[in-house]
Amino acid sequence: MDFSNIFRLVNLAVGVIMILGGISQFFPVAFQSVIIGCYVILFGLGVGLLEFQIPPYVSRYASFMFSFLGRGIFYIFVGSILLHDHVLRVIAGSIIGLVGVGYALLEFVPSIEPPSNMREADAGWGAEQV
């Protein structure tokens, strides 16, 4: 069974939740919250962009986004950034973190293949392009 569309929708939903969680970081206004909010918004835009277009430098510098384990750990990281202060941030961070745990576990289920946009950089461990 092909889960590509399901993974695409989940990744887009996580990107939207990241953007909304980043916007919620701006309230109340504090320097640290604004900086964290900007980063979370950029991360959400990046996750959303990867579902439509894969820039060539992303596979080189952010190759972790092309495996279930790497993307899962990234989602857990961003989810943990949002887990504080306000109920909506805790809900957003929990959803993103749980999706990250699910993706990390999918790395160890051999019957489920990653979608095509998560296999772009997969040349194998330590493989260099000559």
Side-chain angles (χ1 to χ4, degrees):
M1 186 171 183
D2 186 25
F3 295 111
S4 294
N5 289 332
I6 294 171
F7 288 130
R8 182 175 295 253
L9 289 174
V10 168
N11 289 333
L12 284 173
V14 166
V16 168
I17 293 171
M18 280 185 192
I19 292 170
L20 294 175
I23 291 171
S24 75
Q25 285 287 114
F26 291 123
F27 307 105
V29 178
F31 183 72
Q32 182 180 7
S33 295
V34 170
I35 299 297
I36 291 173
C38 289
Y39 273 108
V40 173
I41 290 171
L42 288 175
F43 290 156
L45 291 172
V47 167
L49 175 69
L50 284 177
E51 294 306 311
F52 299 108
Q53 176 182 352
I54 300 174
Y57 54 84
V58 172
S59 62
R60 182 173 187 90
Y61 296 111
S63 60
F64 61 89
M65 293 298 285
F66 298 102
S67 72
F68 281 134
L69 185 61
R71 194 173 283 229
I73 291 172
F74 177 71
Y75 286 174
I76 292 168
F77 168 71
V78 174
S80 67
I81 288 175
L82 292 174
L83 282 176
H84 70 91
D85 285 345
H86 195 267
V87 172
L88 293 177
R89 284 186 214 142
V90 171
I91 292 171
S94 299
I95 291 171
I96 295 169
L98 288 175
V99 171
V101 169
Y103 269 17
L105 292 175
L106 282 176
E107 179 73 23
F108 304 104
V109 179
S111 62
I112 298 180
E113 293 277 328
S116 61
N117 65 336
M118 285 177 63
R119 281 184 266 157
E120 289 294 322
D122 190 21
W125 285 97
E128 292 185 21
Q129 295 180 0
V130 181

